[in-house]
Amino acid sequence: MTDRKPVVPSSPRWSGSDAALRAVQVAFDVETQVIDAVRYAALQNRLSPSDQIRKILGLPVTSKPVRPRLTVTLSDDDYVLLAERFGVPLGDKRKIKEALHEALINFAKKKFKVTM
């Protein structure tokens, strides 16, 4: 008798993930100028740096992100600082997020003369 568990076939719902699970992320240790050049080209082409690298290497590139967005990780201490900075109650994370959203828009308006 063995302790091996039976192999359960993958659900059809997850079958599209099989290839992604076998994919391997590759990291490149290159000079800062190379990193900057790839990031700048990605920005100009409205691609992620990863998609820009795929384009440079002649690999298929997915279309633009369905939901382009910016992300940042905030700790509890960050929320305390931001609540103080924006004069928002600490417990109102939605209001803090709205203030951050407005700060990013104002940055873009000043830096790049973006109209919104």
Side-chain angles (χ1 to χ4, degrees):
M1 207 172 189
T2 67
D3 291 345
R4 296 173 77 189
K5 293 183 181 181
V7 175
V8 180
S10 179
S11 163
R13 178 178 170 194
W14 296 102
S15 64
S17 301
D18 291 346
L21 291 173
R22 288 187 295 271
V24 177
Q25 186 174 35
V26 178
F28 300 96
D29 292 322
V30 294
E31 299 294 323
T32 304
Q33 294 89 342
V34 175
I35 294 170
D36 291 345
V38 170
R39 287 180 176 161
Y40 185 71
L43 178 65
Q44 287 181 313
N45 294 318
R46 295 183 181 265
L47 295 171
S48 68
S50 176
D51 281 344
Q52 182 63 48
I53 291 169
R54 294 184 64 81
K55 184 177 176 182
I56 292 166
L57 299 176
L59 296 171
V61 177
T62 59
S63 61
K64 293 181 186 171
V66 175
R67 188 172 150 202
R69 61 184 176 178
L70 295 170
T71 61
V72 64
T73 302
L74 301 173
S75 68
D76 290 338
D77 290 341
D78 294 332
Y79 275 105
V80 170
L81 293 170
L82 292 168
E84 289 175 11
R85 176 178 174 207
F86 294 114
V88 176
L90 177 58
D92 197 346
K93 290 189 177 181
R94 182 173 172 221
K95 270 268 202 250
I96 293 171
K97 184 177 176 183
E98 288 172 4
L100 297 176
H101 185 255
E102 201 58 38
L104 291 173
I105 290 170
N106 289 335
F107 169 80
K109 285 179 179 177
K110 289 178 192 171
K111 186 79 174 174
F112 299 103
K113 297 174 182 46
V114 173
T115 57
M116 297 181 174

